[in-house]
Amino acid sequence: MRKSRRNEEAPRQNGSADFETNPVGLQDGHDDNDTGRRREIRSKYRDLINTVQQNREDMLSPSTDKLTEVLEEANKLFKDVRRAREAALDAQLLVVATDLGKEKASQLFSEGSAFDPTAFAEHLLSFMGLNRLEDGDGGPQNAGAADGYLPRDAWHRLSRRVECCFRTAPSFHYMMGSFHAEPPAPKQRTERQRKAPTKEAKRIMPTQLKKMEESHQEATEKEVERILGYLKTYHQDDPTSPISYYEFVVDPNSFARTVENIFHTSFLIRDGLARMYLDSDKLPCIAPVEEGDVEAASSSSRKQCIISISPKIWKELIDTFEIKDSIIQPPEPHNE
């Protein structure tokens, strides 16, 4: 009745009619005078509102998309809205559709929270291809499937479907091939034939080593005797004055000679030919031992210590004791 009256007042136009699709806004234009078109838009909006209100249960059903279809139809009508009256109907439809959408979403949430494991298992078996009409061969993969059998690729099919839901580590590739490759055959070791030393070589080699040891020992003994001579001479010049150990062994012109002097002087202390003591300033001093006291000093118990020296300490000793010349002169070079 009311609907037919509206149709009589504003009959629908057959065919496609072109209308200006300007941006949405309440603006004045040539279409404002088209009263018939405005009535048609208002009529369609009222029909959509009545459809939503009368078919509320169908709109709330999760298995239908009628609410989406209504919203899409409203979007098409809104392109031709130019005046406030049609915009108000569009806002009214949007309010009704929003309430229905909120209620439908709450129903979906409550329904989704209930999980039915039996139904899930049925869907899973159906996806994996469970055949309930024929009996399987009773293999291991069919042990969990009752009243039917699963195909051989059932679990592969499931894995391909769910692999996108898990983060997997990248596969490992071997640059030099697989580790399962056979190891290379061990190379045969060829033993080198050793030449047996001749009788002459056996006789000469120990002799050479013995001569080198004797020459080195003789050189050390000669150097120790030479340093002992310097110590006795320096002590006889002023017997009452103590001889500073550092002034005696330090060579201000050569760090290597200083190390050699300390090394050779240690033999004098070991053999009891010289002794060391601390003066009133707690500094080490050295003095020769009288010939009659050498045997007694060598048999008595002596304390030993290790002296370490570096180029830095060597320079500090030279500056502290103001050493200008070396007491122990370097040995004179001689031609063999």
Side-chain angles (χ1 to χ4, degrees):
M1 287 67 69
R2 182 177 180 183
K3 183 176 180 180
S4 60
R5 182 179 179 183
R6 286 200 302 269
N7 293 337
E8 292 176 0
E9 294 176 356
R12 300 180 182 271
Q13 298 180 1
N14 297 327
S16 60
D18 296 333
F19 298 96
E20 184 180 1
T21 57
N22 293 329
V24 177
L26 305 180
Q27 300 176 358
D28 294 334
H30 298 288
D31 292 341
D32 293 343
N33 298 326
D34 191 357
T35 306
R37 178 60 180 167
R38 290 173 54 197
R39 288 178 180 177
E40 184 180 358
I41 293 174
R42 289 196 298 270
S43 175
K44 290 183 179 181
Y45 267 118
R46 293 189 184 98
D47 291 342
L48 291 176
I49 293 173
N50 292 333
T51 301
V52 173
Q53 292 176 348
Q54 293 175 3
N55 301 324
R56 183 181 182 86
E57 297 299 331
D58 295 338
M59 297 289 179
L60 294 176
S61 176
S63 60
T64 61
D65 295 333
K66 291 185 177 181
L67 183 59
T68 304
E69 295 175 359
V70 170
L71 293 176
E72 291 177 354
E73 186 66 23
N75 288 335
K76 294 178 182 179
L77 293 176
F78 190 68
K79 294 180 180 179
D80 296 331
V81 173
R82 297 293 182 270
R83 301 298 292 272
R85 191 172 180 181
E86 290 79 14
L89 290 174
D90 181 80
Q92 182 180 354
L93 175 61
L94 182 60
V95 171
V96 175
T98 303
D99 294 339
L100 283 178
K102 180 180 179 181
E103 187 175 353
K104 186 175 182 179
S106 62
Q107 290 181 1
L108 290 174
F109 180 76
S110 60
E111 292 176 0
S113 60
F115 176 73
D116 188 359
T118 305
F120 175 76
E122 289 295 332
H123 288 299
L124 185 61
L125 291 174
S126 300
F127 176 79
M128 295 172 66
L130 177 66
N131 190 346
R132 298 182 183 277
L133 301 178
E134 300 179 6
D135 294 333
D137 54 359
Q141 61 178 347
N142 299 330
D147 300 331
Y149 74 95
L150 293 172
R152 294 184 178 275
D153 62 339
W155 290 106
H156 295 284
R157 185 186 304 176
L158 178 63
S159 63
R160 287 193 298 268
R161 179 64 179 84
V162 301
E163 65 181 358
C164 61
C165 303
F166 298 91
R167 288 186 177 181
T168 57
S171 59
F172 187 80
H173 300 282
Y174 303 99
M175 297 179 63
M176 301 299 294
S178 174
F179 284 159
H180 297 289
E182 296 182 358
K187 296 181 179 180
Q188 296 181 356
R189 297 181 59 183
T190 56
E191 297 184 358
R192 299 177 59 184
Q193 296 181 356
R194 299 180 180 178
K195 294 182 179 180
T198 60
K199 294 182 179 181
E200 185 178 357
K202 290 181 179 179
R203 183 173 56 82
I204 294 176
M205 289 176 60
T207 305
Q208 291 178 347
L209 293 175
K210 187 176 181 180
K211 288 183 177 180
M212 290 177 63
E213 292 178 357
E214 291 177 354
S215 61
H216 181 69
Q217 185 176 1
E218 291 178 358
T220 303
E221 291 178 356
K222 290 181 180 180
E223 185 65 18
V224 171
E225 293 177 358
R226 193 176 70 87
I227 292 177
L228 179 60
Y230 277 105
L231 179 61
K232 290 182 178 181
T233 302
Y234 198 76
H235 179 69
Q236 291 174 0
D237 292 342
D238 190 0
T240 59
S241 177
I243 304 173
S244 174
Y245 172 77
Y246 293 122
E247 294 180 3
F248 180 73
V249 297
V250 172
D251 189 338
N253 301 318
S254 173
F255 173 74
R257 285 293 307 160
T258 301
V259 176
E260 291 180 0
N261 294 338
I262 295 175
F263 173 72
H264 291 115
T265 304
S266 65
F267 287 97
L268 297 178
I269 306 299
R270 185 198 66 178
D271 298 337
L273 299 174
R275 64 185 181 89
M276 290 183 63
Y277 61 94
L278 299 179
D279 60 1
S280 58
D281 296 329
K282 302 298 181 181
L283 294 175
C285 296
I286 187 171
V289 177
E290 299 296 335
E291 295 182 359
D293 299 335
V294 171
E295 184 177 356
S298 60
S299 60
S300 62
S301 60
R302 295 185 297 271
K303 296 181 180 180
Q304 298 180 355
C305 63
I306 298 176
I307 298 176
S308 62
I309 189 170
S310 63
K312 181 180 179 182
I313 299 176
W314 172 66
K315 293 180 181 179
E316 291 178 355
L317 290 173
I318 295 173
D319 296 338
T320 303
F321 291 94
E322 298 180 355
I323 302 174
K324 304 298 182 182
D325 298 322
S326 175
I327 296 178
I328 303 174
Q329 299 297 324
E332 297 179 358
H334 57 280
N335 298 326
E336 297 181 353

